[in-house]
Amino acid sequence: MWITPAAQVSVLVLVFFGWIITNWQNNRRETRKEGRSACDAIKKYILEITVKGKKYYLERDGEISFEIKSELELLEIELGRIPFFGVGQNSTLMKCFISFSDALTDEDFEQKDAPKLASTDPKIQRIMRKRNSLLREVERQFKLQFL
């Protein structure tokens, strides 16, 4: 039995559109994986900075203060590298980052005569709250984009 030319063309068209749909789904899945990986790396970085910030206020180690400022700048760069997050001066993500950064480097940051703090001090608790807000916002932005 011979297939008519119209049937051959329709098969080719179906194969072509099937390939387009499959390619689109694969690209979307890979973009989601890359986004998840970037979010996880950013969240890990936020947690590392928080540990250093807490250690700084508990011990008042001057060497750590430089590391904190440097790593906050690197975190801002990492947040800006993720195109789908819409990082801008008015974005919620950027506002959360600025609040977190301000909590870590507030008025007595790098003052030599500042006292060591207890782990229950309101300043430490504020840092933790701002960290949690930033972590939630990173996840929220990921969900908005992919879920």
Side-chain angles (χ1 to χ4, degrees):
M1 179 161 89
W2 295 95
I3 299 176
T4 65
Q8 290 176 346
V9 170
S10 64
V11 167
L12 290 175
V13 168
L14 286 175
V15 168
F16 178 74
F17 282 115
W19 177 83
I20 287 175
I21 290 170
T22 302
N23 189 42
W24 174 77
Q25 289 173 334
N26 288 339
N27 288 342
R28 183 159 167 78
R29 183 180 63 244
E30 289 303 313
T31 302
R32 185 182 185 286
K33 283 182 184 180
E34 290 169 7
R36 178 80 267 158
S37 176
C39 287
D40 290 344
I42 286 171
K43 288 176 8 183
K44 182 179 176 188
Y45 205 56
I46 291 167
L47 294 173
E48 289 172 1
I49 293 171
T50 304
V51 168
K52 286 183 180 182
K54 190 174 177 182
K55 182 177 179 183
Y56 170 77
Y57 283 107
L58 295 176
E59 299 174 9
R60 288 295 179 175
D61 184 352
E63 293 178 17
I64 296 175
S65 67
F66 176 76
E67 290 178 31
I68 291 169
K69 282 186 167 184
S70 170
E71 290 183 10
L72 283 170
E73 289 176 13
L74 292 174
L75 177 59
E76 184 176 8
I77 291 168
E78 287 299 311
L79 289 170
R81 283 184 45 214
I82 302 175
F84 54 79
F85 273 16
V87 177
Q89 290 181 339
N90 295 324
S91 76
T92 310
L93 181 63
M94 187 53 74
K95 288 177 185 174
C96 287
F97 168 73
I98 290 169
S99 294
F100 174 67
S101 180
D102 288 347
L104 277 171
T105 59
D106 68 352
E107 63 275 348
D108 69 344
F109 189 72
E110 296 184 313
Q111 286 185 355
K112 295 182 184 194
D113 59 343
K116 294 179 181 178
L117 302 177
S119 60
T120 57
D121 190 273
K123 187 178 292 190
I124 301 288
Q125 293 175 358
R126 180 174 176 249
I127 291 169
M128 297 305 168
R129 280 193 313 273
K130 298 301 180 179
R131 175 205 63 188
N132 291 342
S133 293
L134 181 56
L135 291 171
R136 275 193 300 276
E137 185 60 23
V138 168
E139 277 302 312
R140 188 181 81 81
Q141 292 292 330
F142 178 80
K143 287 178 182 176
L144 285 175
Q145 180 67 28
F146 293 110
L147 300 180

